[in-house]
């Protein structure tokens, strides 16, 4: 971060370049974000949080309902649920020498990015 570029701008530029480099869509980069000066209330929504509270939490961060749905559905095209955090959903059979947390991917195209798999 410098007096000319905010941390938020640097993160946005990194995301834009990473998506491009991985062969995904071209996300235009625009600068001008202002970094927060203090932390938001701690804690995140949990899977069992009701929809009203979830929408209200995202609204507090400036996201409307469409933004919230887009963020959640797109954010969850990569990664997965882990046995270590949700043993009631993902069983111990997913734990291996190469994956000590165990886990199950959210979908079967976790390493495919871009508009072709939408
Ligand atoms: C109400 C909001 C959300 C809820 C309830 C939620 C819930 C979850 C849960 C239960 C997991 C599995 C965690 C684990 O087993 O370790 C997860 C993983 C993940 N979430 Fe969310 N999520 C939310 C919002 C978001 C958003 C907005 C994004 C991104 C824009 C996102 C991106 C991810 C990613 C990438 C993973 C995979 C992490 C990994 O594989 O280590 N989530 N989420």
């Amino acid at each position: 971060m410098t007096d000319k570029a905010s941390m938020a701008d640097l993160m946005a530029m990194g995301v834009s370049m990473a998506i491009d480099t991985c062969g995904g869509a071209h996300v235009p980069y625009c600068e001008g974000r202002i970094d927060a000066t203090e932390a938001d209330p701690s804690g995140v929504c949990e899977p069992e949080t009701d929809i009203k509270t979830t929408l209200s939490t995202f609204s507090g961060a400036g996201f409307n309902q469409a933004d919230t749905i887009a963020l959640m559905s797109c954010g969850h095209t990569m990664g997965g649920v882990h046995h270590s955090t949700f043993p009631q959903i993902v069983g111990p059979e997913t734990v291996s020498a190469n994956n000590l947390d165990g886990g199950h991917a959210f979908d079967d195209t976790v390493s495919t990015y871009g508009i072709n798999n939408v």
Side-chain angles (χ1 to χ4, degrees), residues 2 46 54 60 70 75 78 90 93 101 111 114 116:
T2 70
E46 300 290 339
T54 297
M78 56 176 142
V90 179
E93 69 282 357
D101 273 345
S111 56
N116 294 334

Side-chain angles (χ1 to χ4, degrees), residues 1-54:
M1 187 175 80
T2 70
D3 57 346
K4 295 198 172 47
S6 66
M7 182 57 76
D9 273 351
L10 292 179
M11 289 172 72
M13 186 169 68
V15 169
S16 172
M17 290 174 69
I19 293 171
D20 239 356
T21 306
C22 291
H26 176 71
V27 180
Y29 166 74
C30 307
E31 75 283 348
R33 290 164 194 79
I34 300 169
D35 288 332
T37 53
E38 59 186 72
D40 263 0
S42 64
V44 293
C45 294
E46 300 290 339
E48 58 275 13
T49 305
D50 65 82
I51 189 68
K52 205 172 157 207
T53 307
T54 297

Side-chain angles (χ1 to χ4, degrees), residues 83 87 89-96 99-103:
H83 171 66
I89 298 174
V90 179
E93 69 282 357
T94 60
V95 177
S96 69
N99 185 356
L100 297 176
D101 273 345

Side-chain angles (χ1 to χ4, degrees), residues 44-51 53-55 57-58 63 67-87 89-90 101-106:
V44 293
C45 294
E46 300 290 339
E48 58 275 13
T49 305
D50 65 82
I51 189 68
T53 307
T54 297
L55 288 175
T57 303
F58 276 76
F63 297 111
D67 297 334
T68 303
I69 293 168
L71 264 177
M72 248 184 271
S73 53
C74 295
H76 289 141
T77 62
M78 56 176 142
V81 184
H82 300 95
H83 171 66
S84 56
T85 41
F86 289 97
I89 298 174
V90 179
D101 273 345
H104 202 283
F106 286 132

